[in-house]
Amino acid sequence: MMTGVKRTFPPTASLVPLCGLLLAVAAPLAATPVNPAPGHPAEASYQFVLAKSLDEEGDLAGASVAFERALELDPGASYVRLEFAQMLARWARFQPEPEIRRATLERAVREVGRAASELDRNLDALRAEGDVRLALLSEDENDAAALAAAVETLEALRVVAPGDLPSLFTLGQLYQRRQRPREAAEVFEALVAASPGYPPVYPLLAQALLDSGQADRAEEPLRRVLENQPNHDAARVALADILSRRGDHRQAVAVLRAAPEGLKSPEARTRLVTESYFAGDLEGALAELDALPARQAASRYLRLVRGLVLAALGNNGEALGLLEPLLADGGPVEPDVAATVARLLAREGRAADAVRTLQDHAERLAASGAADRALAAEVQLARFYAEEKDWPAAGALLDRLAPELAGAEAELARAARLLAADVALEQGKAAEALVLLTPEDGSKRLEVLVRSGRAVEATAELRRLEEPGREDALLAAIEAFHRAKDFTTTLAPLERLVASRPEAVLPRFLLGAAYERTGQAERAIPVLEELVKLDPEFHPALNYLGYLWIDRGDKVEEGIELVRRALAIDPANGAYRDSLGWGYYRQGRWEDARRELERATRLMPDATVFEHLGDALRALGDLAAARRAYQRARELGAEDPSVLDRKLSDLDTGRDGAPRN
């Protein structure tokens, strides 16, 4: 109902019989303006009063007829036309047929446009026009013309009423819908200036700033609202999202946990579970999941997260119990999740089930029309074959996929090409591997050359990369040599690179690894110590140095602390878990060592890990289990099988106790 304009009902005898009706509707109409009708003022006023009464009673069809009659009698009654347009917009919501609904809304737009023009688009007219245009937009959110018209109207309203909260809020959202985040941010900032105590705008402002490339400004409005309303869950979630996008998951967890009264909304508590998982706090994520209401924790998303957490903890059976049904329930599943299930099955000795899982997943994606995702799933299957060292199966599958991969997205095509080169090389087909590679695969080419006995040629290429401005290519080449187990050739270029770029992390790490792998641990340790000072979050160096200290036995406690820091960043890393278990073993904490090493074997079936587990089990007196662990290490291809043979022989001759490697 309009306000601010005095309403006129000229006295006339024809209104006397209607006094009861007028008394009934006079209060709600007292502030509604009607332009006096020049020809039939009494009848026009009566029809308007009747239309309003019928509208309030829910007889929208009858109200429409009365409005039409009032405007026929007084075409210049602009405020009546505004009310008619708004009534039509409401009426359209009740029309079951889309065509009729659309026609009704378009009529409302025409009426409100005419009235707004007559009233020189004053505040009342613009508000009404905005309501009607938004109603038309709600009918089809993809109607570009309707969206543009709604934005134009709300911008005009913004000029007349720059502090009008509802219109600004809607305008900002419309800019977001049109993918114009910079304009959205400008509108939301104006809204904050006009009404700083309106909490719903802050997350939207932060999102608009993020989307418009102004992430550095997105935190401030959220932190401001949290200062005044520390228990505002939506603001905490939005701030956590900003930190998460930046990769600072631990800070995101800290922000979420800082709510004085705890998080209340399901969205905020779900976000805390997710960020705890990404931050590496697996036990914390499980604790948060266990604290959720059963109905929320049973949601598909949180069952997925719980499964991933359990998989990262090495609880393979429990993880499979949650993740396998998700592959079969028809819901969306990314290829990486299917690959996780396959790896869990392989860890449980169910390689055939793992293959079938990936095949079924790819077939379901293809049947649903998701050809690109189906192709990615099949590449995952080829990678699984390679991980299981079934080179013929991997090669045959990649050969079959070659025509599709030729037209695939560049990243997927390159990953498949590098995998195919690895498969060919493992089968002794170095020439074929080189043919598969392109100029952009330079580091892989060097690896193939070294592994196929063409080290002189590879070394010559490495030397050519030692030119100013080619540091990235040089590092990629050095990593290729390391993958081929050639560390000696890289020592000199790495020493020169570290000398020229002492602050660079990766060259220093590779140099430390090269020193250690060439039997120069005394030179490796100070290089890695300096690296940990330069970048305390570089977890490969934390683990490498920690393991060196542990294995040498001189700084076991300090080494364990470094490994724990690495695990806090990458908790699903089986190598890091092995380092921690080996540290406990060195301390004589046999049961702790067994627990961590068993978890490591579930995360990373590796000969060294199983040998370490065998040592811990032997120290605990479980000789049968120790024998199984040593035999498994033998099957997985230990670097020095004679050491395992000696340990197995000791068990046969009854020599127990904790072996010292």
Side-chain angles (χ1 to χ4, degrees), residues 164-174 187-188 191 198 200-201 204:
D164 187 70
L165 188 149
S167 63
L168 284 174
F169 192 74
T170 303
L171 178 60
Q173 290 178 303
L174 291 182
V187 171
F188 289 137
L191 198 159
Y198 186 57
V201 74
L204 294 175

Side-chain angles (χ1 to χ4, degrees), residues 8 54 57 70 104 135 172 185 197 207 232-233 266 361 374 404 484 490 527 563 580 591 616 624 629:
T8 328
L54 292 171
E57 291 175 5
T104 305
Q207 186 65 55
H232 194 291
D233 277 9
H361 183 57
E404 296 175 66
T490 67
V527 170
V563 172
L580 181 60
E591 188 55 44

